[in-house]
Amino acid sequence: MGFHPPPSRAALEPFATLDPAALAGLPASSPLTVRSAALSAQYLYLGTGGGKLLLFTLDTPSPTFLRILPIGPTRPVSAILPLPSVARVLILADGLLLLADPLLSRPVRRLGSLRNVAAVAARAPDASDLTSCSLAVSVGKKLLLVDLTLHEADELEVQTRDISLVDGVKALAWAGDAVFVGTASGYSLFTTTSQAQGVEIFTLPESSRPPRVKPLSGGEEVMLLVDNVGVVVDRSGHPVGSSFVFNSAPECIAEVFPYIVVAGDSKVDVYRRRNGAHLQTIPHAKAGPGVLIVASNDTRTGGELVVIATAYKVFCYHKVLAVEQIKALLRRKSYGEAISLLQEFEADGEISKDMISFVHAQLGFLMFFDLRFEDAVNHFLLSETMQPAEIFPFIMRDPNHWSDLVPRKRYWGLHAPPKPLEEVIDDGLVTLQQALFLKKAGVDTVVDEDFLSNPPSRADLLELAIRNIIRYLCSCREKSLSSPEMEGVDTLLMYLYRALHLVDDMEKLASCQNSCIVEELESLLDDSGHLRTLAFLYGSKGMCSKALGIWRILARNYSTGLWKDRASLSETDSPESSVDKMSGEEIAAIEASKILQASSDQDLVLEHLGWVADIDPELGAAILTSEMRGKQLSPEKVVAAIDPEKVGIHQRYLQWLIEEQGCDEPHYHTSYALSLAKSAMDVVHSESKYGDKIKKEFDSDVQLIFLLRERLQLFLQASDLYDPEEVLDVISESDLWLEKAILYRKMGQENIVLQILALKLEDSEAAEQYCAEIGRDDAYIQLLDLYLDPKNGKGPMFTAAVRLLHNHGESLDPLQVLERLSADMPLQLASDTILRMLRARVHHHRQGQIVHNLSRSTNLDARLTRLEERSRHVQLTDESICDSCRARLGTKLFVMYPDDSVVCYRCYRNQGDSASGRGHNFRKGGIFKQCWLVSR
Amino acid sequence: MAANAGNKIRNAKLVLLGDVGTGKSSLVLRFVKGQFVEFQESTIGAAFFSQTLAVNDETVKFEIWDTAGQERYHSLAPMYYRGAAAAIVVYDITNAASFTRAKKWVQELQAQGNPNTIMALAGNKADLLEARQVPAEEAKTYAQENGLFFMETSAKAATNVNDVFHEIAKRLLEGQQAQDTQAGMVLNQRPAERMVSSSSCCS
Ligand SMILES: Nc1nc2c(ncn2[C@@H]2O[C@H](COP(=O)(O)OP(=O)(O)OP(=O)(O)O)[C@@H](O)[C@H]2O)c(=O)[nH]1
Ligand SMILES: [Mg+2]
């Protein structure tokens, strides 16, 4: 069965040795030979070869003799079965079954008239059944079931029935309803609930030892023995788990959870029930004849006594508690063994969850003081009950902010109270020195071999310890802790990060959601120059002004090259340093902007806006247009605060104010429009100034102009709140015609708009569109005028004019048109134009007629259908009833709705036209029948 | 039934039988722990292991009984192969007697065991080719005649070990499907074919 740990464990521990004869005060001339033994609760029964029963109690400091009961000198007692549920003790002696009372105070009585009983077994008592008990008895070829029931006045009712016929029974055991029978040839199983034939489990090999069966786990399972092999089967005889392989063929087996105790020749072995591992050997000189007997008081749970009886002596053992076994190992610093024992107990369910956590914490502390920091923290982490504050004293000297938080747990008193790390290490090193010295002198020590052969340096140990405590604290952060604990964890974590100069970790902790206590760290971080960390910390704690102050200093120092990161002090100036400087400055601005974006403190925002925007205008804009703040900034103050040089920020802010915030103050609209217009003018000018630019630059300029103008145009179109005249002033000298058109339009200068569109931009489509928007016929005439007489030396634009007439001729008065047509218009064009116009009018008229006629046809159809609906025939029978009041219609006047429901006239009067008898509401949903479709 | 086939775990009792020293324990050790030890102790009684194997989207949990080859424990074998869904009969290709013994096991299984048991014949120690006593052809023919599936394996070299178990799992599931389509509900479940299903009541 694989690996057996050396049987060095003390699972059972002796607590008394008992000389039955001497205790019972019998003279040395009449010796006792113990043949059988049984434990029931604290009572020990012994049966002797000379037909005596003895009772002892084991619960006093030393075993006490209670009573001796002779049952007849020729009746050697071969088995004792305490039956607590019927307040009896069953004795098998010389093939007879005898009953005694539990305290052996009365003479024994025979149970029935059975003789030559070969074996007997009692069913494990049901927890619920307190007054009865079943026995399986083998007599001759018969297997009998004997039911005992206890009645009032200690009256015992006995019922016997046959189970089956089996010859040569040597061993019996109960498991549930099943009786397991061992004969010389093998094992079989009989159920007592049905009269079924026995089921063979397996046969025994030739010349094997006599069969033995032992119920385990209070009758859940049974162990069947083949030589030194124990096969465990369940209540239905199916094998369960690997076989037990015992060191020697067992004479007797007892179970004390989680162990199996086996008596063999001259020794008793203890095995683990779960996996059959051999744990302990208790040697016993076999004194005289007879066998070793083990008995336990295992009543499913709670049993913890084992007696080992030899012919003349009884040795009493009790189970060593799991924690005691572990404690003993820890006292010897056998950590490895203690851990594997802990795991075994854990798997057995022998030790509570809390105790497991307790042991892990205890192990952790012991290892910590042994300078095995990594293992120590691993165990701390395995402990669910350990509180983070327990390790605070390792980090910070008492008294401190958290002194009151530290629980005063002593554990098993195996280690000193926690003290600052440096002291732990110094003391540990001293111990190590002593151990080295002792080792040279040839004395064994319990100090770690690794340390002895390779003594660690103080600095290494300190770093290792800190790193591991950091690991512990980090994992504590994931737990749900009280807020003072959380504060301790985070603050001390920062403290430890700083000790190891873990700048990244410091900054990460400071910038995330944390419970650091700023006052504890402020001066510390300032002194050591961890300004960024401090700034992050202020930021995360909402101390914005302080944080911003630091970021501003950092940004300034970066840019003037005065300030350098501590960490990079050692590095010489590399080509990267300028990049570093740049990014350092930028990072300061980014961090500051993060704070500012969320801040509603107007003065603070405006105070810092400047320097951030100097570094990165984008950030400046982002700060102003942020929607993260609870209270918006006053636009007035903001606009006043923005540096007039920073046109971009100004524009972005106004755009945001207008487009995102829906601001409708005309003066911001005007400012925005003016600002955009000026920008557009600026780029247009600069473009025209440098006529000969290289192509690429030129392209990007064109792009820029396009984008800027697009923005300007869109805004000018969209807003009605700005002052167009002011804007017009700015662009009047330029070629921004479309913009001008938009502005004039806003001002209602239709003719100028048309002039610009039709003549300057030659966008006849836009011009016609504008006419349509104006919506008056005279607009088209105005446009026609412009086309035919553009003035300013331009010739008439006949094509555009013809197009106009073609598209909108029908809405123009022909007379007016004719008037405008100039004399010098080519005849062909003119006739064409007029023809189109007239045709368009006729076409328009005809279209109207068609629509009119179609509508009439539909109307006719609908009337016809209505008529058909009204002239429908309806048949009424005697059964016909009103759909509303359910009364017979008979000869009454009735009404039928379009949904075919029929109601009597009275209901119709009540209901009216709009709701039918079936509840259909014609106002809400019309009714539609396929046949009503206009098909013709 | 098919809808939740993915989260069904099928328990299957599997027994290894064969002469002493043929490598039954070694095969199981290889399959369950991926290990091999040169000096494997002879099994006494029987050893129990369990291992799950995923086939497509189904999972088979093997409850493996590694029996002792020693003749003394022969009488225990029926207890272990009773109700087994699968049996692997192992012989040692370097030992002709072990092949004879394997045939006896097959006979016994055919006579005593469950007719539905899937039987595999494993010719183990296939790494020891130079010492071969049992020709692969002979074993193959025998296996075909007796409806077993056959593989030469080596627990030492890890050849075909997982394949044998995998093939068994596959056949188990195929057999299960055939049964599924035959009968709507199996009222009387044999112990070796307990179904553990997370949601369906009839599997
Ligand atoms: N070369 C080689 N040796 C093997 C192989 N498999 C097992 N062995 C060796 O054969 C010996 C017996 O192997 P076991 O696995 O104990 O055989 P078993 O069938 O379990 O034997 P019993 O438990 O006594 O029935 C061991 O020394 C193994 O190392 C294999 O594939 N190749
Ligand atoms: Mg084996």
Side-chain angles (χ1 to χ4, degrees):
Chain A
M1 300 211 15
F3 173 73
H4 294 274
S8 63
R9 192 149 313 147
L12 298 180
E13 188 179 57
F15 71 92
T17 306
L18 190 150
D19 181 340
L23 261 184
L26 298 178
S29 54
S30 59
L32 293 176
T33 51
V34 176
R35 282 290 188 83
S36 51
L39 274 169
S40 176
Q42 74 277 29
Y43 294 114
L44 166 65
Y45 298 91
L46 295 178
T48 70
K52 290 193 182 70
L53 280 175
L54 291 98
L55 178 62
F56 300 86
T57 172
L58 301 181
D59 64 347
T60 44
S62 57
T64 317
F65 168 74
L66 289 182
R67 204 155 279 133
I68 184 164
L69 180 65
I71 55 171
T74 57
R75 291 175 175 173
V77 179
S78 46
I80 304 173
L81 281 69
L83 307 174
S85 59
V86 291
R88 296 288 189 281
V89 178
L90 180 74
I91 294 126
L92 176 60
D94 192 27
L96 302 179
L97 288 179
L98 306 168
L99 286 171
D101 65 287
L103 291 174
L104 308 185
S105 46
R106 281 164 292 172
V108 293
R109 304 242 306 266
R110 268 188 71 179
L111 173 62
S113 55
L114 303 173
R115 283 183 178 284
N116 299 323
V117 172
V120 60
R123 181 175 177 164
D126 244 328
S128 60
D129 190 356
L130 296 170
T131 55
S132 69
C133 170
S134 298
L135 305 173
V137 184
S138 163
V139 192
K141 291 190 177 179
K142 277 189 180 165
L143 186 60
L144 301 176
L145 175 71
V146 178
D147 287 320
L148 305 177
T149 313
L150 186 67
H151 293 292
E152 271 170 38
D154 208 32
E155 193 76 31
L156 194 67
E157 182 192 327
V158 181
Q159 281 185 332
T160 307
R161 68 179 167 88
D162 292 359
I163 302 177
S164 194
L165 289 178
V166 220
D167 206 5
V169 175
K170 297 240 164 64
L172 283 176
W174 280 85
D177 289 329
V179 177
F180 287 78
V181 176
T183 67
S185 64
Y187 295 98
S188 46
L189 175 156
F190 295 84
T191 53
T192 52
T193 44
S194 61
Q195 288 281 329
Q197 203 56 49
V199 178
E200 182 186 285
I201 302 172
F202 62 84
T203 55
L204 280 167
E206 295 272 297
S207 65
S208 60
R209 294 166 50 93
R212 267 170 216 284
V213 290
K214 169 71 190 172
L216 297 178
S217 308
E220 290 293 325
E221 293 168 355
V222 173
M223 182 182 280
L224 311 173
L225 283 151
V226 194
D227 304 335
N228 65 328
V229 180
V231 175
V232 181
V233 298
D234 63 14
R235 290 176 172 191
S236 33
H238 297 302
V240 186
S242 298
S243 319
F244 283 73
V245 182
F246 300 119
N247 286 345
S248 52
E251 302 282 358
C252 193
I253 299 174
E255 183 186 20
V256 218
F257 179 81
Y259 310 118
I260 286 197
V261 186
V262 172
D265 18 278
S266 71
K267 66 182 169 75
V268 171
D269 288 292
V270 182
Y271 299 85
R272 183 166 291 284
R273 165 77 169 91
R274 185 170 44 82
N275 59 8
H278 184 209
L279 302 177
Q280 185 181 6
T281 296
I282 306 168
H284 277 284
K286 209 164 156 186
V291 292
L292 279 170
I293 303 155
V294 287
S296 68
N297 63 346
D298 191 40
T299 45
R300 254 175 245 222
T301 53
E304 53 179 36
L305 295 179
V306 176
V307 295
I308 300 170
T310 63
Y312 306 118
K313 283 253 168 69
V314 177
F315 303 92
C316 305
Y317 288 82
H318 58 220
K319 199 164 76 174
V320 180
L321 289 178
V323 289
E324 291 301 327
Q325 294 188 46
I326 294 171
K327 201 194 280 186
L329 288 170
L330 290 185
R331 206 168 274 137
R332 299 206 313 258
K333 298 212 177 216
S334 308
Y335 300 144
E337 262 187 85
I339 291 164
S340 65
L341 195 59
L342 181 66
Q343 284 162 352
E344 279 178 29
F345 283 131
E346 198 175 344
D348 279 340
E350 172 74 348
I351 186 165
S352 72
K353 258 200 138 68
D354 277 359
M355 191 35 98
I356 293 168
S357 286
F358 178 93
V359 174
H360 278 302
Q362 172 66 87
L363 263 161
F365 278 108
L366 283 168
M367 290 172 156
F368 202 94
F369 280 97
D370 282 355
L371 311 184
R372 293 170 54 180
F373 302 115
E374 186 166 357
D375 294 334
V377 166
N378 288 344
H379 283 285
F380 287 156
L381 290 174
L382 286 172
S383 172
E384 281 167 20
T385 52
M386 189 165 156
Q387 292 156 261
E390 290 180 53
I391 65 155
F392 289 178
F394 286 129
I395 308 166
M396 218 176 229
R397 194 173 294 280
D398 257 347
N400 59 44
H401 198 101
W402 295 276
S403 290
D404 291 343
L405 211 61
V406 182
R408 303 286 162 213
K409 289 196 199 163
R410 289 295 333 268
Y411 292 92
W412 283 330
L414 301 176
H415 63 267
K419 53 191 170 185
L421 260 182
E422 291 84 349
E423 287 176 30
V424 172
I425 291 172
D426 288 339
D427 292 355
L429 286 173
V430 170
T431 313
L432 213 59
Q433 285 298 325
Q434 288 168 346
L436 269 172
F437 184 73
L438 286 173
K439 200 182 171 199
K440 277 186 195 135
V443 181
D444 259 354
T445 60
V446 286
V447 173
D448 197 307
E449 277 298 317
D450 280 352
F451 279 166
L452 287 182
S453 52
N454 189 14
S457 79
R458 186 177 188 274
D460 287 351
L461 281 173
L462 201 57
E463 179 171 349
L464 189 70
I466 293 176
R467 281 194 188 278
N468 279 293
I469 297 183
I470 286 175
R471 188 159 63 92
Y472 180 70
L473 292 180
C474 281
S475 92
C476 288
R477 300 195 80 225
E478 325 261 284
K479 296 184 192 161
S480 62
L481 300 173
S482 71
S483 65
E485 271 181 312
M486 209 62 228
E487 286 167 8
V489 167
D490 282 357
T491 310
L492 293 179
L493 194 55
M494 183 66 82
Y495 195 78
L496 294 177
Y497 281 150
R498 200 193 72 106
L500 295 185
H501 293 293
L502 300 173
V503 177
D504 285 350
D505 291 314
M506 289 170 78
E507 292 180 358
K508 213 164 113 196
L509 176 61
S511 51
C512 74
Q513 170 118 31
N514 66 71
S515 308
C516 290
I517 295 196
V518 179
E519 298 75 54
E520 290 277 325
L521 296 165
E522 225 169 2
S523 57
L524 214 62
L525 294 174
D526 201 6
D527 289 350
S528 56
H530 291 107
L531 289 184
R532 280 168 49 96
T533 304
L534 191 56
F536 279 126
L537 194 56
Y538 282 142
S540 70
K541 294 284 150 197
M543 300 160 84
C544 300
S545 151
K546 283 190 168 188
L548 288 167
I550 296 182
W551 287 123
R552 186 180 204 158
I553 292 169
L554 288 178
R556 191 185 305 147
N557 291 353
Y558 273 125
S559 57
T560 54
L562 288 175
W563 195 87
K564 275 186 182 168
D565 191 274
R566 289 224 141 202
S568 64
L569 258 179
S570 53
E571 290 164 358
T572 46
D573 267 344
S574 59
E576 280 165 308
S577 63
S578 69
V579 179
D580 279 345
K581 197 193 84 182
M582 272 296 293
S583 63
E585 192 183 73
E586 214 142 81
I587 287 167
I590 290 171
E591 292 304 333
S593 86
K594 279 186 200 158
I595 299 173
L596 291 170
Q597 283 180 38
S599 169
S600 302
D601 182 341
Q602 180 164 295
D603 294 340
L604 190 71
V605 173
L606 297 181
E607 179 190 341
H608 289 276
L609 176 67
W611 69 266
V612 175
D614 283 341
I615 294 170
D616 187 345
E618 286 289 318
L619 290 176
I623 291 171
L624 293 178
T625 59
S626 158
E627 299 191 358
M628 287 189 294
R629 54 177 62 97
K631 200 172 133 251
Q632 284 306 334
L633 307 173
S634 132
E636 215 175 314
K637 290 261 169 66
V638 172
V639 171
I642 296 173
D643 179 351
E645 295 287 297
K646 291 180 182 128
V647 178
I649 297 181
H650 185 237
Q651 270 175 17
R652 284 276 298 283
Y653 178 68
L654 288 174
Q655 183 189 11
W656 173 79
L657 200 61
I658 292 165
E659 290 175 8
E660 309 280 321
Q661 301 301 106
C663 166
D664 49 11
E665 289 225 19
H667 97 93
Y668 293 121
H669 282 248
T670 306
S671 297
Y672 183 46
L674 284 174
S675 176
L676 283 177
K678 279 180 192 147
S679 302
M681 290 295 286
D682 284 351
V683 280
V684 170
H685 271 200
S686 67
E687 187 223 11
S688 56
K689 252 186 246 163
Y690 312 100
D692 46 17
K693 279 190 176 176
I694 40 173
K695 177 103 169 60
K696 203 170 138 208
E697 254 177 274
F698 181 75
D699 277 355
S700 76
D701 266 6
V702 169
Q703 188 94 22
L704 182 67
I705 294 173
F706 176 78
L707 288 175
L708 249 175
R709 287 194 60 186
E710 191 181 39
R711 235 172 96 196
L712 176 60
Q713 289 158 11
L714 283 174
F715 179 69
L716 293 179
Q717 294 261 25
S719 169
D720 290 329
L721 295 170
Y722 59 90
D723 179 347
E725 282 175 53
E726 274 192 56
V727 183
L728 208 52
D729 274 351
V730 175
I731 59 168
S732 58
E733 296 299 310
S734 72
D735 281 343
L736 302 179
W737 289 109
L738 191 53
E739 288 81 348
K740 285 186 197 166
I742 298 169
L743 289 169
Y744 280 121
R745 212 163 134 181
K746 292 274 173 188
M747 292 156 70
Q749 307 265 28
E750 289 166 12
N751 196 263
I752 304 182
V753 177
L754 283 179
Q755 271 185 43
I756 295 174
L757 292 177
L759 307 181
K760 284 284 174 205
L761 301 173
E762 295 191 11
D763 186 346
S764 44
E765 210 170 309
E768 281 171 31
Q769 175 70 29
Y770 182 53
C771 291
E773 278 167 37
I774 295 172
R776 297 189 317 268
D777 289 350
D778 69 307
Y780 289 108
I781 292 291
Q782 272 187 53
L783 184 57
L784 191 65
D785 272 345
L786 287 172
Y787 282 146
L788 296 177
D789 182 15
K791 308 225 171 72
N792 286 337
K794 256 188 158 186
M797 299 157 75
F798 290 126
T799 336
V802 170
R803 210 187 95 106
L804 177 67
L805 288 173
H806 173 69
N807 287 341
H808 302 284
E810 81 271 6
S811 41
L812 292 177
D813 182 343
L815 281 179
Q816 281 189 17
V817 173
L818 283 175
E819 263 172 36
R820 313 279 152 149
L821 291 183
S822 83
D824 37 328
M825 189 172 182
L827 185 61
Q828 202 225 329
L829 260 181
S831 72
D832 201 26
T833 308
I834 296 162
L835 207 62
R836 273 169 192 270
M837 183 175 68
L838 293 176
R839 268 196 199 137
R841 292 182 74 88
V842 173
H843 178 75
H844 209 63
H845 176 70
R846 295 249 163 87
Q847 253 179 350
Q849 280 179 329
I850 293 173
V851 172
H852 177 73
N853 284 328
L854 280 174
S855 309
R856 280 184 55 167
S857 141
T858 311
N859 184 323
L860 197 68
D861 266 335
R863 282 167 48 173
L864 186 65
T865 311
R866 182 155 172 256
L867 207 67
E868 280 171 4
E869 269 303 299
R870 289 188 149 187
S871 58
R872 273 201 293 160
H873 291 279
V874 179
Q875 189 183 13
L876 287 187
T877 64
D878 282 350
E879 267 86 56
S880 302
I881 53 167
C882 166
D883 277 341
S884 177
C885 67
R886 303 274 144 203
R888 249 176 238 280
L889 285 175
T891 57
K892 277 187 224 145
L893 204 55
F894 70 89
V895 170
M896 187 164 125
Y897 285 97
D899 68 348
D900 296 351
S901 57
V902 176
V903 299
C904 63
Y905 190 70
R906 223 178 55 186
C907 289
Y908 165 70
R909 291 292 299 271
N910 291 340
Q911 242 158 262
D913 282 330
S914 51
S916 82
R918 295 197 186 128
H920 190 104
N921 189 331
F922 296 109
R923 280 194 211 286
K924 284 201 182 126
I927 199 151
F928 183 80
K929 290 185 184 171
Q930 197 67 23
C931 60
W932 297 347
L933 267 179
V934 177
S935 51
R936 286 150 291 236
Chain B
M1 218 179 301
N4 54 23
N7 46 31
K8 217 153 59 172
I9 297 178
R10 200 185 127 97
N11 283 10
K13 182 174 177 183
L14 182 149
V15 64
L16 284 106
L17 300 164
D19 208 352
V20 62
T22 50
K24 297 180 292 300
S25 304
S26 302
L27 286 170
V28 177
L29 189 67
R30 170 63 75 191
F31 173 57
V32 175
K33 297 200 180 133
Q35 298 166 351
F36 176 80
V37 286
E38 206 65 53
F39 304 103
Q40 176 72 41
E41 275 181 58
S42 186
T43 307
I44 291 170
F48 176 78
F49 301 87
S50 74
Q51 174 76 331
T52 51
L53 197 64
V55 180
N56 304 327
D57 59 344
E58 290 182 83
T59 308
V60 175
K61 184 177 178 204
F62 280 121
E63 294 161 357
I64 303 169
W65 292 97
D66 168 26
T67 64
Q70 288 177 45
E71 194 50 42
R72 183 143 188 88
Y73 301 107
H74 184 175
S75 67
L76 296 184
M79 174 171 59
Y80 295 112
Y81 65 63
R82 211 172 283 145
I88 305 179
V89 177
V90 185
Y91 70 91
D92 173 355
I93 67 154
T94 69
N95 178 343
S98 75
F99 184 53
T100 314
R101 187 73 191 82
K103 290 182 190 166
K104 287 240 175 64
W105 277 117
V106 172
Q107 261 173 21
E108 182 173 336
L109 279 174
Q110 283 166 345
Q112 312 286 331
N114 176 348
N116 293 334
T117 305
I118 291 166
M119 266 194 267
L121 181 66
N124 193 35
K125 308 200 188 178
D127 52 301
L128 303 176
L129 280 177
E130 65 287 0
R132 181 191 282 281
Q133 286 188 1
V134 184
E137 269 313 304
E138 188 184 335
K140 199 172 167 188
T141 315
Y142 170 78
Q144 268 165 8
E145 285 165 5
N146 287 274
L148 320 169
F149 86 85
F150 168 68
M151 273 188 198
E152 288 204 340
T153 58
S154 167
K156 184 172 183 176
T159 35
N160 277 348
V161 179
N162 289 347
D163 310 60
V164 171
F165 287 92
H166 202 268
E167 180 65 29
I168 289 176
K170 228 175 72 190
R171 290 183 183 214
L172 276 172
L173 294 173
E174 279 164 12
Q176 180 61 37
Q177 266 154 27
Q179 268 186 16
D180 279 354
T181 47
Q182 257 171 34
M185 193 184 293
V186 186
L187 289 174
N188 182 1
Q189 290 177 337
R190 278 160 295 149
E193 297 188 336
R194 273 170 288 151
M195 296 295 300
V196 180
S197 172
S198 55
S199 58
S200 81
C201 58
C202 49
S203 38

